[in-house]
Amino acid sequence: MKLIKTKTLVTVVGCLSLTLVVACSSLDSNAYENKTESHHLGYQQGSMLDELFSQDKYDVTTHSGFYPLKRGHDALLARLALIESAEATLDLQYYIYRDDETSQLLTWRIYEAAKRGVRVRLLLDDMQSRSDTALARLSAHPNIEVRLFNPLHYRTARGLALLSDFERLNRRMHNKSLTADSVASIIGGRNVGNEYFSFGSAVEFGDLDVLLYGNTVEDIANQFDLYWNSDHAVPIEALKGNVRMVSDEDIQAKVERAGIVQKFSQGEYDFTQLKLYHKFRNDELELYWGPAKLWYDTPDKISGEQSALVDSLVNFLDQVEHSMILISPYFVPTEQGTQSLIDAVSRGKEITVITNSLASNDVFAVHGWYAKYRKDLLEGGVELWEVKANADLGNQWSFTGSSRSSLHAKAIMFDNRKLFVGSMNWDPRSAELNTEMAVVIEHPEYIAQSMESFEATILANAYELRVEEGELVWKDHQTGEVYSSEPHASVWRRMGATIAGWLPIEEQL
């Protein structure tokens, strides 16, 4: 009787699974082929952005002008400035694009750009669950096209999709870029969502983007085309067709319901109170200039292709002369990477790593595996600093509703003269599974300026890790306190990180 019941259960589960597969699969088998190629339209001479950025002092075939966007409110304002100044094209590429106040604000302005004739291409990774209907209605506008990268086949049973096709779906597009008129771009670590732009959120991310003009912008535009036209990018219409185009009334109603105008035009979130706003308005935005290169993975990395970005970075690291400061929110160096950093120290190079503490890390499983390498790194001469959960991120809108801060910037400073900024974390997932992009800019003066405040910032906002009498300790230079265990992390987070460190999941982090 027990055997019969078991067989019956297996049969029922099998039939149910088959029903789910049939019912939830909405991706047309020809979806990858039934699409039209499109490409960027080139640098828009005479455009508003051309007039804003154009200069004759530097060679834009080899140099890029850049403006660092360290603060969340500036990063949001700069995106709005590009969107509202665009006259011909807007290309946006993101891993996460939420449906909250800041993303609604950006979507509204993107829609208004499309209404005035700007061609908009929006490429989103499909790991985040979104409304296919809402995206399809937006894409139905004649000047807007939306595509999803490496989409899940079962749209309403995403867990089932992951289980049935894990090898493919485990690889994601982590690139982040916005390009207007092929004149200016923004790339870096930020996704689109409140926590990335210092707008009221339980967690506020300390992040870094760069606004770019010059040789790297065309490379970013070419990179976007490569992803947009790849076999892995699927038009949203293939997933959700025959929908009514979003209307002006729909957009206005959503804007009014969310109170977008009021929230960003008064009180603590008033854009007009920002220094960057007045720099844009008064044409006073001064860029740093230097030789620059864009590094990026090809979209076929998700099919197992070697990481082009990692190859470039490895070759570059071999040329480091005396120092490297690595900033990565998710730092899982692996045994090989740990040994490489220790070997670099043994050759006389100063290596400093800044990452999240357990209390500030929003992915405690990452911390569990990173923790395995801390003692070896310290004993090998690598400096380790962990950002506090109450770090002052220096945002004008900072801590308006945020109870915890978390490092999210991905940057490297080499030899006090070169800056690496992008989407790549120092972990196996970025190296092996996800696609990434970054810009490398040479500018000793900017690095020197950054270093003037760097030491004071780190001493105030991070713990220095040391090994004393064979044990790991955390030194808070601001208070003088020394901790013998993960500072200000709950017992549950400590247990979670410890257990995660026991699991064979390092290559997934």
PDB file of all heavy atoms in Angstrom, residues 64 341 365 384 392:
ATOM      1  N   SER A  64      39.204  60.674 -22.115  1.00  0.00           N
ATOM      2  CA  SER A  64      37.833  60.886 -21.660  1.00  0.00           C
ATOM      3  C   SER A  64      37.817  61.914 -20.544  1.00  0.00           C
ATOM      4  O   SER A  64      38.711  61.934 -19.690  1.00  0.00           O
ATOM      5  CB  SER A  64      37.214  59.585 -21.136  1.00  0.00           C
ATOM      6  OG  SER A  64      36.760  58.764 -22.184  1.00  0.00           O
ATOM      7  N   LEU A 341      47.397  38.021  -3.986  1.00  0.00           N
ATOM      8  CA  LEU A 341      47.536  39.273  -3.247  1.00  0.00           C
ATOM      9  C   LEU A 341      48.715  39.201  -2.275  1.00  0.00           C
ATOM     10  O   LEU A 341      49.482  40.167  -2.132  1.00  0.00           O
ATOM     11  CB  LEU A 341      46.243  39.584  -2.492  1.00  0.00           C
ATOM     12  CG  LEU A 341      45.023  39.919  -3.359  1.00  0.00           C
ATOM     13  CD1 LEU A 341      43.771  40.040  -2.490  1.00  0.00           C
ATOM     14  CD2 LEU A 341      45.246  41.212  -4.143  1.00  0.00           C
ATOM     15  N   ALA A 365      25.963  35.585   3.172  1.00  0.00           N
ATOM     16  CA  ALA A 365      26.631  34.380   2.661  1.00  0.00           C
ATOM     17  C   ALA A 365      27.985  34.734   2.055  1.00  0.00           C
ATOM     18  O   ALA A 365      28.952  33.975   2.182  1.00  0.00           O
ATOM     19  CB  ALA A 365      25.748  33.689   1.627  1.00  0.00           C
ATOM     20  N   LEU A 384      43.408  45.173   5.586  1.00  0.00           N
ATOM     21  CA  LEU A 384      41.972  44.942   5.458  1.00  0.00           C
ATOM     22  C   LEU A 384      41.197  45.957   6.289  1.00  0.00           C
ATOM     23  O   LEU A 384      41.499  46.165   7.470  1.00  0.00           O
ATOM     24  CB  LEU A 384      41.607  43.532   5.942  1.00  0.00           C
ATOM     25  CG  LEU A 384      41.759  42.351   4.988  1.00  0.00           C
ATOM     26  CD1 LEU A 384      41.262  41.082   5.664  1.00  0.00           C
ATOM     27  CD2 LEU A 384      40.998  42.589   3.694  1.00  0.00           C
ATOM     28  N   ASP A 392      29.064  57.198   7.613  1.00  0.00           N
ATOM     29  CA  ASP A 392      28.548  58.446   7.059  1.00  0.00           C
ATOM     30  C   ASP A 392      28.960  58.504   5.592  1.00  0.00           C
ATOM     31  O   ASP A 392      30.124  58.705   5.262  1.00  0.00           O
ATOM     32  CB  ASP A 392      29.121  59.642   7.816  1.00  0.00           C
ATOM     33  CG  ASP A 392      28.578  60.964   7.296  1.00  0.00           C
ATOM     34  OD1 ASP A 392      27.791  60.948   6.329  1.00  0.00           O
ATOM     35  OD2 ASP A 392      28.948  62.014   7.854  1.00  0.00           O
TER      36      ASP A 392
END
